Amino acid sequence: MDSTESERVTAQPTSDRSARSRIRAATRERKRDERAEVRRFTVASRRRRRNWLIAGGALLGMIGIVAAVAFSPVTAVRVIQVEGASRVPSASIVTALGDQLGTPLALVDEGDVHRALSTFTLIQSYSVEAHPPDTLVVRIVERDPVGSEKTASGYDLVDSAGVVISSTPDRPAGYPVLVVTTPRALAAAGEVVRSLPADVRAQLDQVRAETKDDVTLTLTTGPTVVWGSAEDSVLKAAVFARLVAAAPGATRYDVSSPSNPVDD
């Protein structure tokens, strides 16, 4: 073998290694380009994912802080504030809800509050509000008395549901005597009384009803007013006022059909 052939044999392996090296370099360069291209096309989604993660972490942190404060002794009930109570002593309501003192506002049990307040028959409805950091506000709506019922021992002041608000040996001033025979008649009579203007309501002496459709009023000045049912009571009250103005000396007014009133 001459020297030229020897050089060709030696150069061949070197050329192969160089070619493989270039291929590997090209492959690495292509992969780098592909990764760069992928990053370029996914930058928006990665940014959104990062933002969501940051927002989620902040929200969780905020929830944790709020929960820690809400359930901590810092927000424990120290003051029970009663609003709207008149016939029911506020102090009695505060005493009944005493078990809630020291309880975090967020953990006040509505069932316990209901059981405590349901013992007060004069409370018609109520609402409870938490006023941080330490006040529980209880708003009371008391039963509205509409008249008194004669009993063997005196008079019971009642609302339209028949709940006794107070009992006295003498007739309560400022309320008519109710002569009713059924709960539905009492409810209708109560609705009529509540619909009357204050000046007419102050003149009521008696409210009589055997059914819900035959309510009759007797005024302290003498005349009677046939009212009928409690339907259209506001309209009937307006019609009655016009009848009185037109015929002040009548002894009987009938507004049971407000479109066709009658006075005698």
Side-chain angles (χ1 to χ4, degrees), residues 53-249:
L53 290 174
I54 293 173
L59 179 61
L60 289 175
M62 186 179 300
I63 291 174
I65 292 172
V66 171
V69 173
F71 296 102
S72 73
V74 174
T75 62
V77 177
R78 293 181 176 84
V79 177
I80 298 177
Q81 180 179 323
V82 180
E83 298 179 358
S86 176
R87 297 178 182 275
V88 183
S90 296
S92 299
I93 296 175
V94 172
T95 300
L97 296 175
D99 289 347
Q100 301 302 322
L101 292 172
T103 303
L105 287 170
L107 295 179
V108 170
D109 191 315
E110 293 185 6
D112 290 343
V113 172
H114 176 73
R115 282 187 288 273
L117 296 184
S118 63
T119 61
F120 295 90
T121 57
L122 300 188
I123 295 178
Q124 180 171 316
S125 62
Y126 67 89
S127 63
V128 178
E129 295 179 5
H131 285 202
D134 60 1
T135 302
L136 188 69
V137 177
V138 184
R139 291 189 171 87
I140 301 297
V141 176
E142 295 183 330
R143 294 186 179 277
D144 180 24
V146 294
S148 61
E149 292 183 315
K150 187 74 173 67
T151 67
S153 58
Y155 293 85
D156 286 341
L157 190 64
V158 299
D159 71 350
S160 58
V163 176
V164 177
I165 294 172
S166 64
S167 298
T168 57
D170 301 318
R171 175 180 171 177
Y175 296 98
V177 174
L178 303 175
V179 182
V180 295
T181 56
T182 66
R184 295 184 70 183
L186 174 58
E191 187 174 343
V192 171
V193 170
R194 288 195 301 270
S195 72
L196 294 173
D199 58 336
V200 177
R201 189 170 178 175
Q203 298 178 51
L204 282 181
D205 180 58
Q206 185 184 90
V207 179
R208 180 181 295 272
E210 292 186 2
T211 70
K212 67 181 182 65
D213 297 317
D214 68 345
V215 179
T216 300
L217 315 178
T218 301
L219 305 183
T220 56
T221 52
T224 60
V225 185
V226 179
W227 203 269
S229 71
E231 294 181 2
D232 299 321
S233 283
V234 175
L235 174 60
K236 290 176 181 179
V239 171
F240 171 64
R242 290 197 296 269
L243 281 180
V244 172

Side-chain angles (χ1 to χ4, degrees), residues 40-62:
R40 185 170 69 85
F41 279 106
T42 61
V43 63
S45 62
R46 286 186 288 110
R47 185 180 296 115
R48 285 195 298 270
R49 184 166 59 250
R50 183 176 65 252
N51 291 341
W52 276 110
L53 290 174
I54 293 173
L59 179 61
L60 289 175
M62 186 179 300

Side-chain angles (χ1 to χ4, degrees), residues 1-16:
M1 180 182 299
D2 58 23
S3 60
T4 301
E5 291 177 348
S6 176
E7 289 175 358
R8 285 199 298 268
V9 172
T10 303
Q12 183 65 39
T14 301
S15 178
D16 291 343

